[in-house]
Amino acid sequence: MLFPTSRVPARADAPCRRVRRLERKLLVYAGLEDLILLYPVYAVLFAEHGLSTAEISSLFAIWSLTGLLVEVPSGIWADAVSRRALLIAGPLLSAAGFALWVLLPSYAAFASGFVLWGTGGALRSGAMEALVYEELDRLGAASRYIRLMGRAAAVSMAATAVATAAAGPVFAVGGYGALGVASVAACLLCALTAAALPEHRDGSPGDPADGADRRRARYAGTLTAGLREVRGSRSVRNALVMAVVLSTVWGALDEYIPLLATELGASTQEVPFLVLVVWAGVTMGSLLAERAGALSARAMAAVVATAGAVMAAGALSGTTAGFALLGLAFLVFQMADVVADARLQSAITGTSRATVTSLAGLGTGVATLMMYAAYGAASRHTGHGLLFALFAVPYLGVALALARRPSGRADDPAEAAEAAEINVKRLQ
């Protein structure tokens, strides 16, 4: 197995009913989180209220910077206090931001809304992965993490597609007000779903009513434990770097897909359909992540290297037919992304799981900003097709790193646990 996902053998008497309840709640949460009807039109809302392109770009910068600043502190809070509390608070902050946009449309309100939305997203980052992995592990079902998170990603994408399709008809009936009400309602339902998620922690998370000095000491201890785990564990460090690299490159290139489409000759009306082709591949990659987790390191290396070559070929094809190749490449990248997250969760052994995951999120955010800067600078000298091909090179590096991973040993506890779990499944 490429990424072992359970440290203990699965129990034949594992409480499967509770596992299924957790899975259903997470999928509902993931769907509601992205069922935001304002998504496809908020830039238009800003422009219609007099904002220039530069002002709109500054809002996006505020959004990104907020996420970076809150990412690690939110992970520490999740580990020190409550992950479920952050999963509840995140959608509530997003709801407040969307309400501001519709009720008080102005630059200040738009900026405040992005701060709230960025904070809400950062609160959920890390806390979600930590809660889900540890709850599954507690129920003897940690091996289901890859499949569940892959399905959650697919549900999120489907919800975004539904929101995009519904935005037009809802706007025709009630304008931006109706879109705002629907978006706020989805966030509120998302928070209610989070309140129903289970959370069983080893040890006693700190009481928010503790004194300021005790809270500061607890937060500092949580951060120190997370940093110590990253520094002291080679497997955690390697998994964290792998997760950052895998998610950064294709995640940043996604923003430039419409520009690549127009460069290849697509009309404005054709661009959304070409983008849909790519995102259909991403959705399939989410659903196939569990199978990818069963590949050997060398097999995954070959798949990732091939995907990089396929992306380059599609981008350099000179025709919109090449978007089928891009969709195939992005399928692999998303699949590997989900598996890399599962490998990171499996490698973490301490109590600062959300903190370590948030460190990975921070690394991804910083690397993404650097990628945007590099892409923007290079775009002055060459076209999008060649840039997509050049940014396929990091995936060859990922493939080389995977190919150099040592083979699992028969006496490896994680490998033994995985083999035991497979045997249990065969007997059921």
Side-chain angles (χ1 to χ4, degrees):
M1 303 290 286
L2 177 59
F3 298 130
T5 54
S6 180
R7 300 187 186 88
V8 297
R11 301 186 301 272
D13 60 342
C16 296
R17 198 174 307 171
R18 278 179 283 174
V19 172
R20 288 194 293 269
R21 282 202 297 267
L22 171 62
E23 292 177 340
R24 285 195 296 268
K25 290 172 184 176
L26 176 64
L27 295 180
V28 171
Y29 185 96
L32 290 170
E33 184 180 17
D34 282 316
L35 192 64
I36 307 301
L37 272 64
L38 280 170
Y39 275 175
V41 296
Y42 61 72
V44 179
L45 169 66
F46 303 157
E48 288 186 358
H49 284 85
L51 271 64
S52 66
T53 301
E55 288 173 322
I56 294 174
S57 297
S58 72
L59 292 176
F60 295 156
I62 290 171
W63 187 22
S64 299
L65 183 59
T66 299
L68 289 177
L69 292 176
V70 181
E71 181 73 46
V72 174
S74 71
I76 298 170
W77 189 15
D79 284 328
V81 183
S82 169
R83 292 154 185 174
R84 182 171 55 194
L86 268 66
L87 295 178
I88 296 170
L92 294 179
L93 291 176
S94 298
F98 298 143
L100 269 179
W101 287 357
V102 175
L103 296 175
L104 301 169
S106 64
Y107 183 87
F110 297 149
S112 299
F114 269 121
V115 170
L116 290 167
W117 189 12
T119 301
L123 292 182
R124 295 190 294 273
S125 175
M128 170 61 76
E129 293 86 348
L131 184 147
V132 172
Y133 187 89
E134 290 194 355
E135 287 302 314
L136 287 174
D137 197 32
R138 186 182 66 85
L139 296 171
S143 64
R144 297 173 71 115
Y145 179 84
I146 292 181
R147 178 173 61 178
L148 178 55
M149 297 306 286
R151 289 181 177 180
V155 168
S156 295
M157 294 167 198
T160 300
V162 170
T164 301
V170 172
F171 180 81
V173 173
Y176 288 115
L179 296 178
V181 169
S183 299
V184 169
C187 290
L188 296 178
L189 291 173
C190 187
L192 286 174
T193 303
L197 288 170
E199 182 177 24
H200 300 83
R201 304 287 297 278
D202 293 332
S204 301
D207 186 345
D210 285 347
D213 290 341
R214 292 186 62 185
R215 287 200 301 271
R216 282 194 294 269
R218 186 170 65 248
Y219 297 154
T222 300
L223 175 59
T224 300
L227 293 173
R228 186 184 300 118
E229 178 150 23
V230 173
R231 289 196 306 266
S233 171
R234 182 178 179 181
S235 61
V236 171
R237 190 165 56 252
N238 290 346
L240 188 150
V241 172
M242 186 70 70
V244 169
V245 175
L246 278 169
S247 60
T248 295
V249 180
W250 78 268
L253 289 178
D254 166 61
E255 302 295 336
Y256 300 99
I257 287 175
L259 300 179
L260 175 64
T262 57
E263 181 179 271
L264 294 180
S267 66
T268 303
Q269 292 77 14
E270 292 171 331
V271 168
F273 295 101
L274 293 174
V275 173
L276 183 62
V277 169
V278 176
W279 278 98
V282 174
T283 303
M284 286 300 300
S286 300
L287 297 174
L288 293 173
E290 184 182 20
R291 295 187 179 183
L295 295 175
S296 68
R298 290 184 178 178
M300 179 60 90
V303 170
V304 170
T306 301
V310 167
M311 181 177 76
L316 295 173
S317 66
T319 171
T320 55
F323 267 71
L325 296 178
L326 259 71
L328 180 60
F330 274 53
L331 181 156
V332 173
F333 298 152
Q334 168 66 4
M335 185 173 67
D337 201 354
V338 175
V339 175
D341 169 56
R343 182 190 170 205
L344 175 60
Q345 297 304 321
S346 178
I348 298 169
T349 59
T351 58
S352 296
R353 181 177 299 277
T355 302
V356 175
T357 307
S358 289
L359 288 171
L362 176 63
T364 299
V366 172
T368 299
L369 288 177
M370 294 172 62
M371 174 107 175
Y372 287 152
Y375 194 103
S379 66
R380 301 174 183 175
H381 308 287
T382 188
H384 296 286
L386 181 56
L387 284 173
F388 268 67
L390 290 174
F391 279 110
V393 173
Y395 286 109
L396 299 181
V398 168
L400 288 174
L402 287 172
R404 293 174 62 183
R405 281 174 54 82
S407 301
R409 303 185 307 275
D411 60 345
D412 187 334
E415 292 291 334
E418 194 70 22
E421 180 169 349
I422 292 173
N423 290 332
V424 169
K425 288 182 178 179
R426 286 174 177 171
L427 291 172
Q428 289 178 339

